[in-house]
Amino acid sequence: NSQPHHVHTAAKALSDQYMTVSISSNQGQAIDQVHQQGNSCVIPAQGHTLKSNLLISGAKIYSDAAFKCAKVPGLPHGTTATGVGVFLSFFQDQAEVNVQIQASTQNTSSPLQAEALSLLFAAQVARRLQISRPTFLTDCLSLAKAAAARSVLADSTPWTIRTSLAEFFSFTNDLQAQVYHISREINGISHNVAHQVLRSLPEPDTSCFASAHTNMICPVVSLLSNFNFQGYVIHAVRCY
């Protein structure tokens, strides 16, 4: 993203109603991508633009950031932080599981740094959930290229995100991960989650409606809600 994100003034806090809207939005995105596949059936090299998210099989992890977000609970008046949105889609016990996570972290001096922190958080989530062979998807092209290079020493890697990338590589070293750039339209859910007005409750707002987790304690909520992601605060987890 080349321009700072602006917090959606009309955005509502994450709710069951928002979850339903997101599901519909995701289905709509999938339909749109099917129509585009005819002209976009070639998978590009990692770090480049993926025209359709349906070209990739396996677990998909989308991330986005809200640069200088003022709607973070506990912030002194007039200060900002980074809003983080992550959306995961994977299969568990032959059933599809979707997870939306809303979090926040420290403020950054540039949108690129904010996006890098969001990608790093997504990697920590993947590691925590033990998701193997994930595909990380971001709408920040420069970040996707840098992450796909798998080296903080590459001349093309901006100095401002080398620390975050080094940690990203560490968390994904054993996951056999890949990274691609996608359009903002495909990345709509994580973008919306990152820009939602954050909840003011001290504990994360969690819920699970996943058919794969019927009659059991949701492993996603259990693993994420009580885990300390250093430098990040989780505000909401929606599993469905």
Side-chain angles (χ1 to χ4, degrees):
N1 299 335
S2 59
Q3 298 296 329
H5 298 314
H6 296 288
V7 178
H8 295 174
T9 56
K12 298 180 296 183
L14 277 174
S15 62
D16 293 341
Q17 179 180 2
Y18 170 69
M19 182 192 71
T20 302
V21 172
S22 295
I23 295 174
S24 300
S25 175
N26 187 37
Q27 293 172 339
Q29 290 172 11
I31 293 173
D32 291 341
Q33 296 309 308
V34 168
H35 293 313
Q36 295 176 12
Q37 271 196 317
N39 298 322
S40 310
C41 59
V42 178
I43 299 177
Q46 282 195 55
H48 290 76
T49 302
L50 196 65
K51 298 298 183 181
S52 169
N53 54 352
L54 297 182
L55 294 175
I56 298 296
S57 60
K60 302 180 182 70
I61 304 178
Y62 307 75
S63 64
D64 203 0
F67 178 60
K68 291 189 175 181
C69 178
K71 302 295 185 179
V72 177
L75 284 181
H77 179 71
T79 61
T80 59
T82 298
V84 173
V86 172
F87 173 61
L88 302 90
S89 181
F90 56 94
F91 279 85
Q92 188 174 60
D93 297 330
Q94 299 183 332
E96 183 178 6
V97 176
N98 296 296
V99 182
Q100 295 179 23
I101 306 172
Q102 184 186 52
S104 63
T105 187
Q106 66 192 48
N107 206 2
T108 64
S109 58
S110 72
L112 177 59
Q113 288 177 299
E115 295 286 358
L117 288 178
S118 180
L119 180 64
L120 173 57
F121 177 72
Q124 293 187 50
V125 169
R127 183 67 173 269
R128 177 64 174 166
L129 298 180
Q130 298 183 329
I131 297 177
S132 61
R133 299 180 182 274
T135 297
F136 291 92
L137 303 166
T138 172
D139 57 29
C140 181
L141 181 58
S142 58
L143 176 61
K145 289 184 175 180
R150 301 296 298 184
S151 173
V152 295
L153 301 179
D155 292 338
S156 59
T157 302
W159 282 96
T160 56
I161 63 172
R162 291 192 177 193
T163 298
S164 295
L165 282 181
E167 294 185 61
F168 172 80
F169 298 149
S170 177
F171 279 107
T172 59
N173 187 50
D174 299 328
L175 300 182
Q176 301 182 60
Q178 54 185 356
V179 183
Y180 287 97
H181 168 256
I182 54 174
S183 67
R184 170 63 56 78
E185 288 72 27
I186 299 177
N187 203 30
I189 293 181
S190 64
H191 173 79
N192 289 339
V193 173
H195 288 75
Q196 288 290 309
V197 177
L198 301 181
R199 295 175 58 88
S200 58
L201 297 178
E203 298 297 326
D205 179 29
T206 62
S207 64
C208 178
F209 301 94
S211 59
H213 303 154
T214 303
N215 300 323
M216 63 183 292
I217 296 175
C218 174
V220 172
V221 170
S222 178
L223 286 170
L224 296 182
S225 60
N226 297 316
F227 186 73
N228 179 25
F229 291 90
Q230 187 172 4
Y232 298 86
V233 176
I234 293 181
H235 301 280
V237 177
R238 292 279 186 268
C239 180
Y240 54 92

